[in-house]
Amino acid sequence: MPTSPSDPAPSIAPEGSRPSGLLELDESVVDDIVALLADGQRGMVLNLVADLYPADVALLLRHLPATEAKQLFRWLPPEVASDTLMELEDAYRADLLKELSTTALTDLLDALDTDDTVDVLADLPDELALQLLPDLKDTEDLIELLEYGEETAGGLMAREYVSVPPDWTLQEATEEVRRNADAVDEVYTAYVVDADGLLVGVVSLKQLLLSSATVPVRDIMETDFISVSVDVDQEEVGQLVQRYDLLSVPVVDEAGRMLGRITIDDVVDVIRDEAAEDIQLMSGLTGEEETVDTVMQVSRGRLPWLVVGLVGSGLSGLVIGTFEGTLQQAVVLATFIPIVTAMGGNAAVQSAAIAVQGLGSGELWLRDAFRRLGKEMLVALLNGTVIAGLLCGTVAALGMGDVGTLVMTLGLTMVSVSLVATTNGALIPFVLTWVGIDPASAMGPFVTTLNDIIGLAIYFLIATTLYL
């Protein structure tokens, strides 16, 4: 039943007691909530929001006007607001928090794991973050985590984990898990740490539950485990989790001392963010654009690549202008310019896509470049020959120009452009990886335009030699 404005605000239902029929977000629900917010109907709004998971609350906030979103966020209980924070984009999250009091911010941050707290602090203005740090419950851990790079294992890890000595019994280890139930949200593994803090083994939750309570931890612990150092790139952490189907990864220092752990939920976020960044780079963006960015921020991210595209198109036009005499002598050659550029662009994108995917997943290494190139060139030769046959057959059937010479020109051009473009698409991702640039850039406007220029140059050189 809806509550009246005078009723006390209901609390958000815990996840275990969520109703089976969750509220489905749509425009009408958003409009209703806007109206209720305007009337100050706090109880009714929270009754509606109680049917939503934190990810849904975040989606709702993004669809509300800025003022109403901030009002709703202030009304949320701290535990729900803190969970919702981690579902929001960085820029939007920072904007939502900047008007809250330091007391409210402290309550929100204390409800988060240390890795999530560090993410939020990194989004806040430096002065505000420094002001909040001394009042947070995990100040020392947070200061240490803030020293690591944001996109490294150290910046990704949480300091909350369950550790047990190797000489404990499984009963003692199980009790330790229970004692840490509130501090550690997801317990997949108990980490076995010796007196010097060195990580010497891991014990899964299944082993703890199914083995005899009197067995020493050292007798069942796995000593062949996967760990990462603090300076490992987050993308490499994601690859490890995918390759070995891990639920959590321990993070150690150079000496092997246990520092923290990275859980699967954080890795999923990394994989998603890396994929989104690659898609943006392929589309000619900076890889950092978010849906909540301002017009100026979006423009700054897109304009440089548009300028690159403009310069590239100008160079393509310069190539065509250089062969103006050729076009004047055989106007029919102009008909096939779009075909040449499209053929080169498509061939390059196809080969680059496979290379980028392989490099990103770790299936391809730098030393695989020439092996990959050999295979791609054979494919390009086959596909180029088929495309050339189709195009030349069409030209011959239509009787365009000097058919014999034109067919020879177009056939040789299609095969040559296919080979060159495919070579570029296959090799450039490896070159970019070698110099430390995201290989997804190989599918952006720069490389696409480069193939247009090279393809046109090849076409006109062949046409000048054979057709005229």
Side-chain angles (χ1 to χ4, degrees):
M1 293 290 292
T3 58
S4 67
S6 59
D7 291 333
S11 61
I12 304 298
E15 287 199 10
S17 62
R18 299 280 185 185
S20 58
L22 293 179
L23 180 67
E24 184 175 351
L25 280 180
D26 55 26
E27 294 181 1
S28 63
V29 171
V30 173
D31 291 340
D32 290 343
I33 290 179
V34 168
L36 291 171
L37 287 166
D39 291 339
Q41 303 280 355
R42 184 172 185 264
M44 295 184 69
V45 169
L46 291 183
N47 260 344
L48 288 172
V49 176
D51 291 344
L52 301 176
Y53 289 107
D56 298 321
V57 178
L59 181 63
L60 172 62
L61 289 171
R62 288 194 294 269
H63 282 82
L64 288 174
T67 302
E68 283 77 6
K70 292 175 182 178
Q71 181 180 351
L72 172 58
F73 188 76
R74 288 194 298 270
W75 284 358
L76 294 175
E79 66 276 10
V80 177
S82 60
D83 288 341
T84 301
L85 272 183
M86 304 321 302
E87 304 292 339
L88 296 167
E89 295 170 315
D90 295 349
Y92 187 86
R93 183 167 62 204
D95 183 62
L96 204 59
L97 294 177
K98 65 183 182 183
E99 295 180 11
L100 293 182
S101 66
T102 54
T103 301
L105 281 172
T106 300
D107 291 339
L108 284 177
L109 294 178
D110 277 340
L112 296 172
D113 288 341
T114 49
D115 57 331
D116 294 330
T117 304
V118 167
D119 290 341
V120 176
L121 287 172
D123 297 333
L124 297 175
D126 291 343
E127 296 119 1
L128 179 57
L130 291 173
Q131 182 182 351
L132 292 171
L133 262 176
D135 297 325
L136 298 175
K137 63 181 182 182
D138 299 310
T139 300
E140 292 184 7
D141 288 341
L142 294 172
I143 291 175
E144 180 181 345
L145 291 176
L146 285 167
E147 294 176 356
Y148 299 120
E150 189 174 350
E151 296 186 353
T152 65
L156 197 61
M157 72 177 180
R159 296 284 287 175
E160 295 87 359
Y161 58 89
V162 177
S163 65
V164 296
D167 55 350
W168 275 14
T169 64
L170 292 189
Q171 181 177 353
E172 291 175 308
T174 303
E175 288 300 323
E176 182 68 8
V177 171
R178 291 194 181 101
R179 279 193 294 271
N180 284 275
D182 290 335
V184 184
D185 286 341
E186 301 91 8
V187 179
Y188 306 113
T189 304
Y191 298 101
V192 186
V193 179
D194 67 14
D196 297 323
L198 298 175
L199 178 62
V200 295
V202 297
V203 179
S204 70
L205 193 58
K206 180 179 179 179
Q207 289 174 304
L208 285 177
L209 295 174
L210 299 183
S211 302
S212 173
T214 58
V215 172
V217 168
R218 69 170 70 255
D219 288 355
I220 69 162
M221 69 182 186
E222 295 285 344
T223 56
D224 184 18
F225 55 85
I226 295 172
S227 63
V228 295
S229 60
V230 290
D231 56 351
V232 169
D233 187 86
Q234 64 176 12
E235 191 168 3
E236 186 175 339
V237 176
Q239 291 172 1
L240 284 173
V241 170
Q242 286 180 291
R243 186 178 306 140
Y244 301 111
D245 295 327
L246 304 175
L247 292 175
S248 64
V249 184
V251 183
V252 298
D253 63 13
E254 293 180 355
R257 286 185 290 268
M258 183 74 180
L259 296 177
R261 65 166 189 161
I262 300 170
T263 52
I264 183 65
D265 57 316
D266 294 315
V267 175
V268 169
D269 291 339
V270 168
I271 294 172
R272 179 195 62 196
D273 293 343
E274 293 289 346
E277 180 181 350
D278 286 349
I279 290 171
Q280 291 194 19
L281 288 171
M282 293 174 190
S283 304
L285 303 174
T286 61
E288 299 175 355
E289 183 174 319
E290 296 181 353
T291 56
V292 297
D293 285 348
T294 65
V295 171
M296 290 302 297
Q297 289 171 325
V298 172
S299 175
R300 281 198 301 269
R302 297 183 184 183
L303 191 57
W305 284 112
L306 292 176
V307 173
V308 169
L310 175 63
V311 173
S313 298
L315 292 174
S316 297
L318 184 62
V319 170
I320 295 173
T322 302
F323 292 94
E324 182 180 358
T326 302
L327 286 173
Q328 288 176 346
Q329 295 180 57
V331 178
V332 70
L333 294 174
T335 305
F336 301 98
I337 291 176
I339 297 176
V340 171
T341 55
M343 175 71 178
N346 290 337
V349 166
Q350 288 174 344
S351 59
I354 300 302
V356 169
Q357 182 182 5
L359 289 166
S361 66
E363 293 180 4
L364 291 178
W365 300 347
L366 286 177
R367 70 182 185 184
D368 295 324
F370 291 105
R371 179 178 60 83
R372 186 71 209 170
L373 176 61
K375 184 175 183 178
E376 288 289 348
M377 290 184 71
L378 290 175
V379 173
L381 186 60
L382 177 59
N383 289 348
T385 301
V386 172
I387 295 298
L390 293 173
L391 180 59
C392 292
T394 303
V395 170
L398 296 175
M400 300 175 67
D402 183 352
V403 175
T405 309
L406 184 57
V407 164
M408 189 182 301
T409 298
L410 292 175
L412 187 56
T413 297
M414 288 296 102
V415 174
S416 300
V417 168
S418 179
L419 282 168
V420 172
T422 299
T423 299
N424 285 339
L427 277 185
I428 289 178
F430 286 95
V431 174
L432 293 176
T433 301
W434 181 58
V435 298
I437 299 175
D438 194 321
S441 304
M443 296 176 66
F446 173 75
V447 175
T448 304
T449 305
L450 176 64
N451 281 307
D452 288 347
I453 296 170
I454 294 173
L456 287 172
I458 291 173
Y459 176 43
F460 284 117
L461 285 172
I462 292 174
T464 303
T465 303
L466 298 181
Y467 195 74
L468 300 182

